[in-house]
Amino acid sequence: MRKTVPAVALTIAVVLVAAGVTVYYVSRNGPAGKDHSQCADPDSISSHVYNPYRLNVVQSCITASGVVDNVLQEADGDYHVRLALDSQYSNLTNAGNQHQYGDLVVEIICALPITQSDAVSACQNYTNNITIPSINDHITVTGPYILNMDYYDGAEQPVYTLTIF
């Protein structure tokens, strides 16, 4: 049986609408099966980063895990958590991270009293509620993946969420 032109046009229209809905869904929510619920920027954390011009955002949100090698208190009010990445995330560090013993620098921002003058205004009216891990904790972190141009373009990750296992 031969299809008529209107039936073929209707079939094409239905396929195009379905494809459009799929493209729209993926663009808004990511590929099916991927949980993006933790990729929201709680409390607009990214707006509390001082001198953001020094940071190159490579990816707006990633999740990584590993074991905490060290937890350092910084003058800018941040905790720098040096994270020895689990093997499946080892591609997240680069040559700049050799200055951090090869670890990814995970930053919990505005969590300490600030002694660095140019960082004070970025943390005003903001309280960070992320739990600070301890050395040897196995953690999973979610947040943007950046290169810090002030530190050898080393890879860093400001934290949106942190889970201790």
Side-chain angles (χ1 to χ4, degrees):
M1 180 169 176
R2 205 170 112 198
K3 287 187 177 183
T4 63
V5 173
V8 170
L10 180 61
T11 302
I12 291 171
V14 168
V15 169
L16 290 175
V17 168
V21 168
T22 301
V23 168
Y24 175 79
Y25 177 82
V26 170
S27 71
R28 302 280 295 171
N29 301 298
K34 191 167 184 181
D35 179 12
H36 288 270
S37 61
Q38 294 181 336
C39 287
D41 183 355
D43 304 320
S44 298
I45 287 173
S46 60
S47 67
H48 297 286
V49 174
Y50 81 97
N51 298 339
Y53 62 83
R54 65 195 164 85
L55 307 176
N56 177 19
V57 178
V58 176
Q59 227 174 315
S60 62
C61 192
I62 65 166
T63 297
S65 63
V67 176
V68 175
D69 274 345
N70 206 349
V71 179
L72 305 163
Q73 297 182 9
E74 300 293 324
D76 62 3
D78 299 352
Y79 280 97
H80 282 194
V81 178
R82 285 202 339 250
L83 188 62
L85 293 165
D86 290 339
S87 61
Q88 66 266 37
Y89 301 107
S90 63
N91 63 322
L92 295 177
T93 55
N94 62 30
N97 291 90
Q98 70 184 346
H99 301 281
Q100 299 294 330
Y101 303 92
D103 292 340
L104 180 68
V105 176
V106 173
E107 293 207 35
I108 301 171
I109 66 166
C110 301
L112 293 162
I114 302 162
T115 59
Q116 182 177 317
S117 61
D118 64 344
V120 171
S121 64
C123 293
Q124 285 181 337
N125 302 316
Y126 175 70
T127 302
N128 195 321
N129 295 310
I130 294 174
T131 301
I132 310 304
S134 299
I135 294 172
N136 294 323
D137 280 349
H138 187 259
I139 65 172
T140 297
V141 292
T142 300
Y145 177 67
I146 63 158
L147 301 179
N148 189 332
M149 294 181 284
D150 281 354
Y151 295 101
Y152 312 99
D153 283 339
E156 297 183 356
Q157 185 178 21
V159 177
Y160 289 172
T161 63
L162 185 149
T163 305
I164 301 172
F165 293 95

